Amino acid sequence: MTVPAPSSVPGSTVTSLGSAHVLLTGGTGFVGQAILERLLSSHPDTTVTLLIRPKAGTSALARLRHLLKKPVFASWRERVGADEVERALTERLRVVESGLGSLPALPGDLDVVIHSASTVSFDPPIDQAFDTNVGGAVGLYEALVAAGGDPHVVHVSTAYVGGIRKGVFPEAALRHDVDWRAEHAAAQDARARVEAASRQPETLRGFLAEGRAGHGKTGPQAVAAAAEEARVAWVAARLVDYGRTRAETLGWTDVYTLTKAFAERAAEQIWAAEGHRLSVVRPAIVESALRHPYPGWIDGFKVADPLIMSYARGLLPEFPGVPDSVLDIVPVDYVVNVILAVAANPAGASSARGDDAVDAAAGAAAAPASAPEPQYFHVASGNSNPFPILRMFDNLKTFFTANPLPRDEHTSIPVPTWDFPGVRKVEGAIRTAQRANDWRERVLVRLPSTTRTRTALTGVQTRRADLESLQSLTDLYRHYVQSEIIFDDRRTRALHDGLPEEAPADIGFDVTDIDWEDYFQTVHFPSITAMTRAFSVRPAAAGAVLDARALPQRTDVVAVFDLEGTVLDSNIVEQYLWVRSNGFRKAAWPAEVASLLTGLPAYLRAEGRDRGEFIRAFLRRYAGMPVSRLKGVVRSAGYAETVRRHTLPEALARIAEHRAAGHRTVLVTGSIGTLATPIAHLFDEVVASTMHERDGVLTGYLAQPPLVDEARAAWLAQWALEEGIDLSGSYGYGDSHADLAWLEMLGNPSAVNPDANLAREALRRRWSIRDWSRARGSSASGTSTAPAVGTTSKGEGDRV
């Protein structure tokens, strides 16, 4: 659908801002950077005041200096030289160090205000969207009123303030009677209400259950941290849903367009209604530059780019849009050119307004010079040079078939063919894929952890991220890719037609000049793929990461080794059987085995809940054993040989490497320290549990809580402090998810033969994963020069 343009007066559009004093908000953003570059390069007599927040300890002025080093300013810097850049910083550019929330006094001599600051997200929590887009606009316009000047305000909005509608959307004020102030107050109150709901006992119990299921073996603090993390995520998700749903119930696509619409109304009521000049510029989807500052300039991914790159990476197998829906895209330099042309041609000036027919056709009657009506401009292509989604698909397939992204060094990613089945079928397919992926993960975490299962888990995690991204894209873009709205652009075309004939071509904004195939194939697609290094080969997803660097020579670091499953290919059940098999009557074995099997389900349940609970429960089996008998068994050749046979050769080699590098070596176990006597000489410290005894007989109870999970982490922190150990440079080796709490304290953690849950965490955190296996006939004797037990090692159960 095309709306014919009215006649215009050639040469009636002013192209210079002269010596105007311009206030620019959002100058560090995408459009704001391009506006500032144009002011510096094409309007040399202007003075520009920028509103910039200090950030992360960096002052506003330092941020401005850093900003001017960005690629958008490269041509200007090279043309004017370093001295002129410095002069601009000291004479032309001024900084107000503040955000929009609580503005200081603004200059009273402003001629033009360009308000381009806003949130960059379509779907932020509702309170954040209102605070930035609505609260920021209110704060700015109230500060301008207080300053006492009369600048021409150019308010940068979005064409999609038109909301969910079909047909032509005119360049005029929005028609709605929503009380934006009441909505703003409700949005600000929303967080308090959702936060309160998140702290209700029934809600918190769900977070705790989730935390225990995933982190119970790591310890109570890990459970608490996971529960709180889940609560915070729940609050954020509720506030995002609150914003999305409230926007749709009022007729807008999302909370971004809703709050941008309310910001327009704030500008009209606070600024224009007081007799000041107001122009509203509404760009559609802003993408990379066509000509200025150079073809393809862009600063980060913009609205359409996640869709483009998801398609190229094979992550968008189908599209939830309507093939004949218009993807309304405009290059950023066109948007900037309109903003500055509008800034130079305020309402009420004959040179800016064209003839009366333009005003009448746009629905804005002439107003008295003392109180000009606001004027509205759409910067859009859908009316004058439409680009339907089906045509975008053809361009995508053409470009990425000729230039496929590499999957690895030998293969490329094939691009999909879209059939456009509709949003419901696409969303249904995503949900089905998510359920299948979740089921696969549940199976994998129950299987023994091997290189194969860890590689499969990596694939599951990658698949989950891909599906979540796809779901997010579908949620965010559903209205934009099914849109049937057409943005009338007659006033904007009239402004362009009024440009002087001698005006440079790169200040124009006639969208009918854009050859979309040329723009996407030679400008935009190459720009965003280069920006993301899309054509570089990424490392393939691997089941394990291994740090094979040589150990540094240091005396202020420690290597901490867990015992069961890490140094020994065994567990405390097997150790108990080793003890019982030495000097135990054969006739008693059937009863012992039966007892063990009977108790096994309870042991497994305890192990699943808490490692310490399992250790306490199992060590009760030692009740009634004389201490002298236990020590005699451990000193026997049979027991010692059994321990040595089960000691992993790779563990012995790694211990020797650490000792050779001057590192302290520590063996830590939640079991009885006496049981580790045959290999104690390999370590500088042996830290373990001790059993309570009465009259030389073990009672079956521990003398102290077992040193596992978070208790081990607390011990390690205290010991390192007392011994002067640098934990950030230290090493840790553990096999269980219960070891996570102390492994994450160390700068060089390794998961050794990890269980499925530790393997998942190690893969996510990119830790080293080591597969150590037992060789037949291996022995620990003669593998280390570490001192024997009783010299520098701690005795049984001693703790630092």
Side-chain angles (χ1 to χ4, degrees):
M1 183 184 301
T2 303
V3 180
S7 59
S8 58
V9 180
S12 63
T13 298
V14 176
T15 60
S16 172
L17 287 170
S19 58
H21 182 184
V22 180
L23 172 67
L24 174 62
T25 72
T28 59
F30 175 45
V31 174
Q33 291 179 48
I35 294 171
L36 179 58
E37 191 281 335
R38 266 299 193 181
L39 290 171
L40 290 171
S41 64
S42 302
H43 300 270
D45 297 323
T46 57
T47 300
V48 184
T49 294
L50 295 109
L51 200 63
I52 301 177
R53 297 192 316 268
K55 189 175 181 181
T58 304
S59 69
L61 181 58
R63 289 189 67 194
L64 176 58
R65 285 187 174 276
H66 176 75
L67 181 69
L68 294 182
K69 296 177 182 178
K70 298 188 76 169
V72 64
F73 300 98
S75 296
W76 171 70
R77 291 197 310 266
E78 292 172 5
R79 178 167 57 83
V80 302
D83 291 342
E84 178 60 22
V85 171
E86 191 61 32
R87 188 191 73 80
L89 275 164
T90 55
E91 298 180 17
R92 287 189 62 192
L93 299 177
R94 303 172 186 175
V95 174
V96 174
E97 190 167 82
S98 174
L100 288 168
S102 55
L103 286 167
L106 295 177
D109 63 342
L110 296 171
D111 301 300
V112 175
V113 173
I114 301 175
H115 177 43
S116 72
S118 73
T119 181
V120 297
S121 171
F122 281 173
D123 234 9
I126 189 171
D127 59 320
Q128 293 179 14
F130 269 85
D131 286 348
T132 301
N133 289 343
V134 182
V138 170
L140 173 64
Y141 296 129
E142 288 179 345
L144 288 173
V145 169
D150 184 32
H152 173 207
V153 168
V154 180
H155 180 99
V156 182
S157 185
T158 173
Y160 290 95
V161 293
I164 306 172
R165 69 175 71 207
K166 297 181 180 182
V168 176
F169 173 46
E171 292 173 296
L174 292 169
R175 294 183 178 181
H176 69 82
D177 57 3
V178 180
D179 185 342
W180 64 270
R181 294 182 188 273
E183 293 296 327
H184 188 191
Q188 290 177 313
D189 185 50
R191 181 170 290 275
R193 286 184 280 117
V194 174
E195 287 279 1
S198 77
R199 290 176 167 84
Q200 294 300 308
E202 58 273 16
T203 313
L204 291 173
R205 289 189 193 100
F207 301 144
L208 275 172
E210 183 180 335
R212 289 192 185 102
H215 302 274
K217 290 184 66 175
T218 309
Q221 289 300 309
V223 170
E228 178 61 11
E229 184 179 334
R231 189 197 67 81
V232 171
W234 185 87
V235 168
R238 287 291 294 268
L239 289 171
V240 167
D241 185 55
Y242 192 134
R244 182 189 299 129
T245 306
R246 185 56 181 147
E248 291 186 12
T249 61
L250 291 173
W252 276 272
T253 55
D254 48 46
V255 74
Y256 170 76
T257 57
L258 174 73
T259 53
K260 293 293 279 186
F262 290 167
E264 284 192 17
R265 190 53 44 88
E268 293 159 356
Q269 293 182 357
I270 298 173
W271 185 249
E274 297 298 317
H276 301 291
R277 296 162 295 168
L278 172 67
S279 298
V280 178
V281 176
R282 296 171 176 158
I285 298 172
V286 186
E287 291 292 348
S288 62
L290 179 63
R291 299 189 184 94
H292 188 88
Y294 55 82
W297 174 76
I298 194 169
D299 187 59
F301 270 5
K302 303 307 160 196
V303 174
D305 303 332
L307 291 172
I308 292 169
M309 295 311 300
S310 294
Y311 174 84
R313 289 174 176 145
L315 306 180
L316 205 59
E318 202 36 273
F319 193 65
V322 178
D324 57 13
S325 180
V326 171
L327 193 62
D328 206 313
I329 286 177
V330 284
V332 64
D333 46 340
Y334 277 47
V335 176
V336 171
N337 292 346
V338 173
I339 290 170
L340 294 182
V342 168
N345 295 272
S350 60
S351 61
R353 299 181 66 82
D355 53 26
D356 290 341
V358 175
D359 295 326
S370 59
E373 289 292 322
Q375 54 183 1
Y376 301 84
F377 299 86
H378 288 159
V379 194
S381 60
N383 179 51
S384 303
N385 189 4
F387 186 68
I389 284 175
L390 181 60
R391 193 169 161 194
M392 168 61 99
F393 165 67
D394 290 339
N395 273 271
L396 282 170
K397 189 162 189 178
T398 297
F399 183 83
F400 289 108
T401 298
N403 306 279
L405 302 190
R407 187 191 305 278
D408 51 43
E409 294 180 355
H410 307 291
T411 62
S412 299
I413 300 173
V415 293
T417 297
W418 289 342
D419 294 324
F420 300 96
V423 66
R424 289 186 181 86
K425 288 188 177 179
V426 171
E427 290 183 337
I430 294 171
R431 287 193 297 270
T432 299
Q434 287 174 330
R435 286 194 294 267
N437 198 60
D438 291 343
W439 176 85
R440 189 171 185 228
E441 182 181 41
R442 286 194 296 271
V443 171
L444 286 170
V445 296
R446 285 166 172 77
L447 295 176
S449 178
T450 65
T451 301
R452 186 174 180 179
T453 57
R454 290 196 293 270
T455 301
L457 269 174
T458 302
V460 165
Q461 292 174 341
T462 301
R463 179 67 169 157
R464 173 178 290 108
D466 292 345
L467 289 169
E468 288 175 351
S469 176
L470 185 54
Q471 182 65 64
S472 177
L473 291 174
T474 302
D475 290 341
L476 286 176
Y477 294 106
R478 68 170 65 240
H479 294 298
Y480 296 91
V481 297
Q482 300 179 83
S483 174
E484 296 183 43
I485 192 171
I486 301 295
F487 304 115
D488 179 18
D489 62 344
R490 66 184 66 201
R491 182 185 290 275
T492 302
R493 283 184 285 148
L495 192 66
H496 174 272
D497 291 343
L499 290 172
E501 293 183 359
E502 68 276 10
D506 70 352
I507 72 166
F509 39 91
D510 182 1
V511 294
T512 63
D513 287 343
I514 302 174
D515 180 331
W516 288 119
E517 275 64 35
D518 181 68
Y519 173 73
F520 282 108
Q521 299 296 319
T522 68
V523 177
H524 188 62
F525 292 163
S527 174
I528 62 172
T529 52
M531 178 181 66
T532 60
R533 299 178 182 175
F535 291 105
S536 60
V537 176
R538 292 174 174 78
V545 179
L546 184 61
D547 183 358
R549 293 174 297 178
L551 295 175
Q553 292 286 329
R554 295 183 63 173
T555 57
D556 63 337
V557 299
V558 66
V560 183
F561 290 81
D562 183 43
L563 178 61
E564 295 84 10
T566 304
V567 175
L568 293 185
D569 179 22
S570 71
N571 53 48
I572 67 172
V573 177
E574 289 181 279
Q575 292 168 18
Y576 172 76
L577 293 176
W578 298 344
V579 171
R580 285 298 196 185
S581 65
N582 279 269
F584 204 67
R585 300 191 320 276
K586 290 184 179 181
W589 265 110
E592 183 67 27
V593 171
S595 172
L596 187 60
L597 291 175
T598 302
L600 190 59
Y603 295 144
L604 290 175
R605 288 194 297 271
E607 169 71 7
R609 290 189 298 268
D610 184 280
R611 178 70 175 170
E613 181 182 344
F614 165 68
I615 290 173
R616 288 186 179 95
F618 191 83
L619 292 185
R620 291 294 303 276
R621 303 189 72 87
Y622 285 91
M625 179 180 289
V627 174
S628 59
R629 177 185 293 182
L630 177 62
K631 291 184 177 180
V633 167
V634 168
R635 286 195 298 267
S636 70
Y639 178 86
E641 182 57 31
T642 300
V643 170
R644 292 188 181 106
R645 280 202 315 272
H646 285 268
T647 303
L648 299 173
E650 289 96 335
L652 296 175
R654 193 63 174 170
I655 295 165
E657 289 175 19
H658 281 291
R659 299 296 294 274
H663 305 172
R664 297 275 290 276
T665 55
V666 175
L667 178 68
V668 187
T669 176
S671 185
I672 309 171
T674 303
L675 302 179
T677 299
I679 57 170
H681 66 283
L682 301 174
F683 300 93
D684 297 308
E685 308 278 347
V686 174
V687 183
S689 297
T690 56
M691 294 287 290
H692 178 261
E693 57 183 81
R694 183 181 294 116
D695 299 327
V697 177
L698 298 177
T699 64
Y701 297 103
L702 290 172
Q704 300 175 25
L707 202 63
V708 294
D709 52 65
E710 290 174 355
R712 189 174 297 183
W715 165 81
L716 181 58
Q718 181 66 25
W719 180 80
L721 181 65
E722 294 176 358
E723 298 292 323
I725 295 295
D726 175 18
L727 291 182
S728 66
S730 293
Y731 301 77
Y733 303 87
D735 70 302
S736 168
H737 192 239
D739 297 321
L740 183 63
W742 63 272
L743 284 174
E744 64 186 1
M745 297 172 58
L746 302 166
N748 303 283
S750 289
V752 178
N753 304 330
D755 62 26
N757 287 315
L758 180 60
R760 182 167 50 187
E761 283 297 317
L763 290 167
R764 185 176 67 83
R765 301 169 188 240
R766 305 293 293 172
W767 287 356
S768 287
I769 297 179
R770 301 172 186 271
D771 290 300
W772 290 351
S773 59
R774 176 161 55 97
R776 291 186 180 276
S778 63
S779 173
S781 59
T783 59
S784 172
T785 57
V789 174
T791 54
T792 61
S793 294
K794 296 289 181 182
E796 177 201 343
D798 287 348
R799 296 183 187 174
V800 177

